[in-house]
Amino acid sequence: MMNLAMNEHRLAKPGPQNAALRDYDSVRRAIAFISEHWRAQPTIEAMADAAAVTPDELHHLFRRWAGLTPKAFMQALTLDHAKGLLRDSASVLDAALDSGLSGPSRLHDLFVTHEAMSPGEWKNGGAGMTLRYGFHPSPFGTAIVIASGRGLAGLAFADPGEEQAAFADMKRRWANATYVEDRDGTSGLAQRIFDTRMWRADQPLRVVLIGTDFEVRVWETLLKIPMGRAVCYSDIANKIKNPKASRAVGAAVGRNPVSFVVPCHRALGKGGALTGYHWGITRKQAMLGWEAGQVGVH
DNA sequence: ATCATTTTAATCG
DNA sequence: CGATTAAAATGAT
């Protein structure tokens, strides 16, 4: 019988698809190593060793992964570089959107149109709603894409073996919704999200923001941060006219269900430190390093 | 009571 | 004095 087994995401076939996952896994190990030993000025050799590849492979790996040399990548992870990302951070938020928008906003470099949904409208944990989901390879590990009829509702990431745990984490947010696996239905979304060449204004990505007023305001602000830039939590607090709520902003940023698309990884501490990330600081570093490589490409 | 913050005060060398 | 911690302040869930 040729039934489509429901939980068969573990049978990953080798191929170009999974090259992405394998690449990220090595990158992840390299980053983890750097995080631990950055004080000791690790050599490329030491990094390669930690990632279980040769220095030559490491070089090639980074070029393929983000178009960056290992050296450039390392620099993209330094505190100095992070501070550079924060340059003019406050004004970045002002400039972006205030320039002639009418109707659906042009937000982010990944053109996104969003629609807010209060917890009230999403009554009782999403009871009666149907959410389609799928697991897809991405530059940052396995991505879990969750879509409602109105658009993209959730995006999560998982390391090898943790896919189900990550999915459970997402399910908790809309506990009473009905979940239907539909990998074919979500693969288009996944492709559009991670391939910068598909970031076009004529085909904006529809996103549904489900959260409280305050949270939605914070997430909308995040969407204004351009690729390769960053702001600190207090900048956001100022932008939403609640200057003393930087702490609350941090909490709200962390609750964003559509990570990466809503660029929560571009929010840093005031000093440039990566203060936290729901899917792991390592992944936040990876995203910033990857973006550093994408910016040059164009 | 918790939190992916920030500021200020206190301490150390 | 500069750098590194500790404590207090603060707003939303």
Side-chain angles (χ1 to χ4, degrees), chain A residues 21 32 52 75 103 108 118 204 211 265-266:
Chain A
L21 290 182
Q75 285 172 346
H108 202 231
S118 70
H265 56 280
R266 295 183 196 146

Side-chain angles (χ1 to χ4, degrees), chain A residues 80-100:
Chain A
D80 261 9
H81 187 266
K83 285 175 181 167
L85 294 185
L86 287 175
R87 181 177 52 89
D88 301 326
S89 57
S91 55
V92 162
L93 292 178
D94 294 331
L97 197 59
D98 300 335
S99 55

Side-chain angles (χ1 to χ4, degrees), chain A residues 70-295:
Chain A
K71 185 174 182 177
F73 177 77
M74 282 237 281
Q75 285 172 346
L77 297 188
T78 61
L79 197 58
D80 261 9
H81 187 266
K83 285 175 181 167
L85 294 185
L86 287 175
R87 181 177 52 89
D88 301 326
S89 57
S91 55
V92 162
L93 292 178
D94 294 331
L97 197 59
D98 300 335
S99 55
L101 79 131
S102 55
S105 338
R106 178 254 116 188
L107 299 168
H108 202 231
D109 298 81
L110 195 174
F111 290 83
V112 168
T113 63
H114 70 283
E115 169 180 341
M117 217 173 212
S118 70
E121 303 175 74
W122 197 266
K123 57 189 165 197
N124 193 24
M129 290 299 292
T130 298
L131 295 173
R132 294 172 295 119
Y133 70 93
F135 295 74
H136 304 277
S138 89
F140 313 109
T142 298
I144 305 171
V145 177
I146 299 178
S148 81
R150 333 230 22 180
L152 181 69
L155 180 59
F157 294 95
D159 290 334
E162 294 176 13
E163 287 86 356
Q164 290 308 319
F167 184 41
D169 180 282
M170 287 312 277
K171 270 178 161 173
R172 224 173 293 132
R173 296 166 195 248
W174 311 292
N176 299 322
T178 303
Y179 290 86
V180 179
E181 178 161 21
D182 179 13
R183 194 193 287 202
D184 290 338
T186 53
S187 72
L189 283 175
Q191 202 169 358
R192 216 186 311 172
I193 291 168
F194 297 111
D195 188 343
T196 57
R197 289 167 306 183
M198 301 185 85
W199 293 4
R200 306 192 58 84
D202 45 334
Q203 281 197 334
L205 183 67
R206 292 193 62 80
V207 174
V208 261
L209 264 27
I210 301 162
T212 64
D213 263 359
F214 182 80
E215 287 169 339
V216 171
R217 268 197 323 267
V218 168
W219 299 338
E220 287 175 336
T221 306
L222 285 176
L223 282 167
K224 297 179 190 171
I225 311 171
M227 169 99 129
R229 297 301 305 272
V231 304
C232 64
Y233 298 96
S234 56
D235 285 336
I236 299 175
N238 278 310
K239 186 61 185 177
I240 62 178
K241 301 287 180 6
N242 215 334
K244 287 180 230 149
S246 52
R247 180 110 187 238
V249 165
V253 170
R255 243 172 263 128
N256 159 40
V258 198
S259 54
F260 187 74
V261 171
V262 174
C264 42
H265 56 280
R266 295 183 196 146
L268 314 180
K270 172 149 271 185
L274 279 61
T275 43
Y277 194 71
H278 188 82
W279 306 109
I281 298 266
T282 302
R283 209 179 307 271
K284 186 169 180 175
Q285 284 183 297
M287 286 176 178
L288 292 168
W290 181 82
E291 290 194 348
Q294 301 298 310
V295 167

